Amino acid sequence: DQQVKQNSPSLSVQEGRISILNCDYTNSMFDYFLWYKKYPAEGPTFLISISSIKDKNEDGRFTVFLNKSAKHLSLHIVPSQPGDSAVYFCAETSGSRLTFGEGTQLTVNP
Amino acid sequence: EAQVTQNPRYLITVTGKKLTVTCSQNMNHEYMSWYRQDPGLGLRQIYYSMNVEVTDKGDVPEGYKVSRKEKRNFPLILESPSPNQTSLYFCASSTYSGPDNEQFFGPGTRLTVL
């Protein structure tokens, strides 16, 4: 049973607009959520994280929001750029374990 | 250059023929882990290691073995590969100074078991 779910396999947006990637989770005992980005033929790379005690974390164009009552988090990318086109994974940490969602393919069109 | 390397990058083998995928990191990281990526399932953890001689099962350990004899190396062993182990495999490492530690991933090994 998937503990971290990304229900949208793909998302397409225009360059300059906002991209919103979503993630739902079931485990309330997590420590952090992390977002990773993956380009084809490469390993995932870390993007941004959020602690369980926060509801927002921002790093440049990337902002992650955490809604604990809804067990939902989202990654906002503003403005979106063609180089952001990649697969995005959310991942939950609990102790030394990392549990990933299925991933969402983001395509940013010029 | 700080990196995680995996070898081979691509491998086609047959059912039952033992194979090893090597993973090495040059960042003196304590924590290392193996994942497999399958369509619609994301990345699933196979095994992880907190330090030398310390390994533990992840979510999908069946059919795999690992060892951690040296800090820098964490090989993944398939004693008798089967077609359902056809997948994209990633090795990752991190320091272990807290649960928010980002993991550094290798480039991946695409394995096909016929």
Side-chain angles (χ1 to χ4, degrees):
Chain A
D1 200 20
Q2 196 84 8
Q3 288 188 294
V4 179
K5 286 198 68 65
Q6 295 176 256
N7 291 311
S8 298
S10 63
L11 174 68
S12 183
V13 300
Q14 285 299 120
E15 181 178 6
R17 307 294 285 267
I18 184 171
S19 296
I20 301 176
L21 298 117
N22 295 303
C23 184
D24 296 304
Y25 63 92
T26 57
N27 177 22
S28 299
M29 300 301 291
F30 69 93
D31 299 311
Y32 277 78
F33 268 100
L34 296 82
W35 284 92
Y36 281 82
K37 179 169 73 173
K38 183 183 178 304
Y39 293 117
E42 295 182 11
T45 55
F46 172 77
L47 190 58
I48 191 170
S49 66
I50 187 166
S51 163
S52 60
I53 62 173
K54 293 190 172 182
D55 54 19
K56 178 182 175 181
N57 189 28
E58 190 172 355
D59 184 2
R61 297 185 298 114
F62 303 91
T63 303
V64 57
F65 296 93
L66 176 61
N67 182 336
K68 288 186 280 292
S69 61
K71 294 186 178 179
H72 177 84
L73 72 158
S74 59
L75 174 68
H76 293 210
I77 307 173
V78 181
S80 301
Q81 300 173 353
D84 295 329
S85 296
V87 177
Y88 289 78
F89 293 98
C90 64
E92 160 193 283
T93 73
S94 181
S96 56
R97 300 285 300 275
L98 195 62
T99 303
F100 285 84
E102 304 93 328
T104 297
Q105 171 70 57
L106 173 65
T107 302
V108 181
N109 302 302
Chain B
E1 179 190 355
Q3 59 184 346
V4 179
T5 57
Q6 296 178 226
N7 282 293
R9 294 290 311 278
Y10 301 91
L11 179 60
I12 301 174
T13 189
V14 296
T15 298
K17 186 176 181 182
K18 180 179 178 180
L19 66 92
T20 299
V21 184
T22 65
C23 173
S24 182
Q25 50 91 7
N26 62 1
M27 296 168 279
N28 201 37
H29 284 166
E30 295 84 12
Y31 183 95
M32 297 186 74
S33 185
W34 277 102
Y35 298 87
R36 59 179 288 175
Q37 183 188 1
D38 301 290
L41 296 176
L43 288 96
R44 293 178 294 169
Q45 192 174 46
I46 303 170
Y47 269 95
Y48 64 95
S49 170
M50 300 289 288
N51 215 322
V52 175
E53 301 292 359
V54 180
T55 63
D56 211 344
K57 296 177 180 178
D59 296 316
V60 288
E62 294 78 19
Y64 304 95
K65 284 175 58 177
V66 293
S67 69
R68 188 90 183 273
K69 293 183 170 55
E70 305 166 280
K71 197 173 187 180
R72 62 182 292 131
N73 296 323
F74 190 45
L76 180 69
I77 303 154
L78 285 72
E79 294 269 4
S80 182
S82 63
N84 65 12
Q85 293 178 299
T86 292
S87 188
L88 180 57
Y89 291 87
F90 290 100
C91 180
S93 74
S94 68
T95 60
Y96 191 73
S97 58
D100 63 328
N101 259 320
E102 64 174 283
Q103 294 191 20
F104 294 84
F105 282 80
T109 295
R110 185 165 291 282
L111 172 65
T112 301
V113 183
L114 302 175

